[in-house]
Amino acid sequence: MLTNVGAGVALAAALALGTGAAAYAHECYNANRSEQGNASAGSNSKAWFTLVVADAIQGDADAGFITQEQADCITAEYATTGAPASFTIKVKGAVGQDGTIGLHNPNLSHATDGQGIDHAFAAYGEQIFGSYAACGVEF
């Protein structure tokens, strides 16, 4: 449970502070899994954690990183991007190099191809950080 909470806090901090794309580059998610599969993995597994983007944004406001007005703006802006409302990310037990699934994969295009394991920031970083920027939050 603490691993899941820690991963959520790390990703939420990355969403707010913009420093996590490189530092927390292990935000692997299964792009092919259904919503039901994500819900099951996120609630029944210690290896996967479901992060609801709106909850992470609200957490940034609750922690004082941003104002409530900015949080409302960011949530609305992000909703217009078409990016997923939540991510079920791998937080524990990744197999692969250095404890990640695809850290040294020479085919970087596969990190955002919508098939198999993708990286949330590589696939949706522009939408995430762009929503913050559009609402006056500077990184």
Side-chain angles (χ1 to χ4, degrees), residues 44-55:
N44 296 321
S45 171
K46 293 181 181 179
W48 294 91
F49 173 76
T50 298
L51 177 82
V52 177
V53 174
D55 292 347

Side-chain angles (χ1 to χ4, degrees), residues 11-54:
L11 188 55
L15 287 169
L17 302 176
T19 60
Y24 196 73
H26 310 302
E27 74 300 344
C28 301
Y29 74 101
N30 188 335
N32 294 103
R33 192 166 38 212
S34 69
E35 283 187 45
Q36 182 178 3
N38 278 333
S40 180
S43 62
N44 296 321
S45 171
K46 293 181 181 179
W48 294 91
F49 173 76
T50 298
L51 177 82
V52 177
V53 174

Side-chain angles (χ1 to χ4, degrees), residues 20-28 89-91 97-101 103 119:
Y24 196 73
H26 310 302
E27 74 300 344
C28 301
I89 56 174
K90 185 81 167 174
V91 295
Q97 298 161 324
D98 298 327
T100 66
I101 297 172
L103 179 63
H119 296 274

Side-chain angles (χ1 to χ4, degrees), residues 5 16 28 36 62 66 70 73 84 88 112:
V5 172
C28 301
Q36 182 178 3
D62 293 345
I66 58 176
Q70 288 172 318
C73 176
T88 299
T112 61

Side-chain angles (χ1 to χ4, degrees), residues 38-128:
N38 278 333
S40 180
S43 62
N44 296 321
S45 171
K46 293 181 181 179
W48 294 91
F49 173 76
T50 298
L51 177 82
V52 177
V53 174
D55 292 347
I57 295 167
Q58 185 59 50
D60 290 344
D62 293 345
F65 294 129
I66 58 176
T67 67
Q68 186 60 52
E69 183 178 310
Q70 288 172 318
D72 294 342
C73 176
I74 295 163
T75 300
E77 186 72 29
Y78 183 78
T80 68
T81 68
S86 67
F87 295 94
T88 299
I89 56 174
K90 185 81 167 174
V91 295
K92 179 180 174 185
V95 293
Q97 298 161 324
D98 298 327
T100 66
I101 297 172
L103 179 63
H104 299 294
N105 187 341
N107 303 308
L108 294 178
S109 63
H110 291 299
T112 61
D113 66 4
Q115 298 182 11
I117 302 300
D118 281 359
H119 296 274
F121 284 118
Y124 298 106
E126 184 176 322
Q127 294 90 332
I128 294 167

